[in-house]
Amino acid sequence: MILQAMDFHEFQDCKALLDMLEDVEYVCKYKYDLEIKFEEMLKWFIKTKLGISTRPIPAYSGDKRKINLLELYLVVKREGGHKNVTSNNLWAVVAKDMGYDYNDGELMRIIYAKYLDVLVYYYKFKSTQQKVCEKETVKGNESVSRSRSYSDNQDSVAGRRERTMSDGCIPEEKGDHYALFAGNDWHGMKKMQKRRQFDFKQVEKVVDEANRSVLMHSRKYNQV
């Protein structure tokens, strides 16, 4: 079994076990094995990770009864977590659900604070951190995808322009209205077609001739 082969050398190993506890059916099926691994995990976390050597594992009550730390973790989790249990004065209920008397509620609160509170904090922090990383990865992939799509689109446009140029035509850019002459450079390609400038002198000559013609006919009309 994967569970039996688990070792604890970093907090990610602890997180893997805590993730397993999210599956209620799995917990019910392998509760005995999980209790053993849960205590192994706590020994590593408290003694190695936190450097605390004054908290014996397993934990015991005043009458030498062993406190099932996995069960305590699961019961408090079911009731909404440490903050919710404390705010609603549910520690007596937690104690009763674990087979103790109602007046053992304070003991359950102290044991949870000593053995499990920091562990749960680390777990929530790492879980949130992982979700953020996953979101950033998704965003990064989407950004790369959009960038590739834009690049492919630009390549497609460039390909169409190149084919148009090879056919002897020069496409016009939107907003660019100016005369192009042979020899000018447009996006790195030589022009293959001439465009004529507007001949203002020729227009002026035509207008002058039209004016003279009007004056001439006007004089003839006045003489008559």
Side-chain angles (χ1 to χ4, degrees), residues 197-209:
Q197 278 186 315
F198 193 78
D199 194 339
F200 290 99
K201 291 184 178 180
Q202 181 65 27
V203 172
E204 185 179 5
K205 180 179 179 182
V206 171
V207 171
D208 288 342
E209 289 180 354

Side-chain angles (χ1 to χ4, degrees), residues 77-127:
K77 182 176 181 293
R78 183 195 66 199
E79 296 297 335
H82 179 274
K83 184 177 180 180
N84 189 64
V85 172
T86 302
S87 300
N88 294 283
N89 298 315
L90 297 176
W91 287 108
V93 176
V94 170
K96 195 64 178 178
D97 287 349
M98 293 183 62
Y100 291 82
D101 294 330
Y102 285 117
N103 56 13
D104 289 321
E106 181 63 12
L107 173 64
M108 296 299 110
R109 185 189 70 79
I110 293 173
I111 294 297
Y112 189 93
K114 290 175 65 176
Y115 289 88
L116 300 172
D117 199 29
V118 178
L119 174 74
V120 173
Y121 172 82
Y122 265 78
Y123 178 57
K124 289 182 178 179
F125 174 78
K126 288 296 183 181
S127 297

Side-chain angles (χ1 to χ4, degrees), residues 12-149:
Q12 196 63 27
D13 300 325
C14 301
K15 184 178 181 302
L17 179 61
L18 294 173
D19 285 342
M20 291 180 180
L21 301 180
E22 298 295 317
D23 188 337
V24 178
E25 293 183 2
Y26 184 83
V27 172
C28 292
K29 187 175 181 180
Y30 299 107
K31 189 173 182 181
Y32 176 75
D33 295 309
L34 284 168
E35 287 175 359
I36 296 173
K37 281 297 174 183
F38 196 80
E39 286 189 357
E40 288 181 13
M41 176 191 70
L42 281 173
K43 286 179 181 178
W44 176 85
F45 181 73
I46 292 173
K47 296 182 182 296
T48 304
K49 179 71 174 177
L50 301 182
I52 299 173
S53 59
T54 57
R55 296 177 190 174
I57 299 175
Y60 290 90
S61 63
D63 57 359
K64 303 300 181 181
R65 290 175 62 186
K66 179 182 175 181
I67 297 175
N68 189 324
L69 294 172
L70 173 61
E71 187 174 4
L72 179 59
Y73 171 84
L74 294 173
V75 172
V76 173
K77 182 176 181 293
R78 183 195 66 199
E79 296 297 335
H82 179 274
K83 184 177 180 180
N84 189 64
V85 172
T86 302
S87 300
N88 294 283
N89 298 315
L90 297 176
W91 287 108
V93 176
V94 170
K96 195 64 178 178
D97 287 349
M98 293 183 62
Y100 291 82
D101 294 330
Y102 285 117
N103 56 13
D104 289 321
E106 181 63 12
L107 173 64
M108 296 299 110
R109 185 189 70 79
I110 293 173
I111 294 297
Y112 189 93
K114 290 175 65 176
Y115 289 88
L116 300 172
D117 199 29
V118 178
L119 174 74
V120 173
Y121 172 82
Y122 265 78
Y123 178 57
K124 289 182 178 179
F125 174 78
K126 288 296 183 181
S127 297
T128 302
Q129 188 180 53
Q130 180 176 335
K131 289 178 181 179
V132 171
C133 290
E134 288 173 353
K135 287 182 180 179
E136 292 299 323
T137 300
V138 170
K139 288 181 181 179
N141 291 337
E142 289 177 351
S143 177
V144 171
S145 178
R146 287 195 296 269
S147 178
R148 287 176 178 174
S149 177

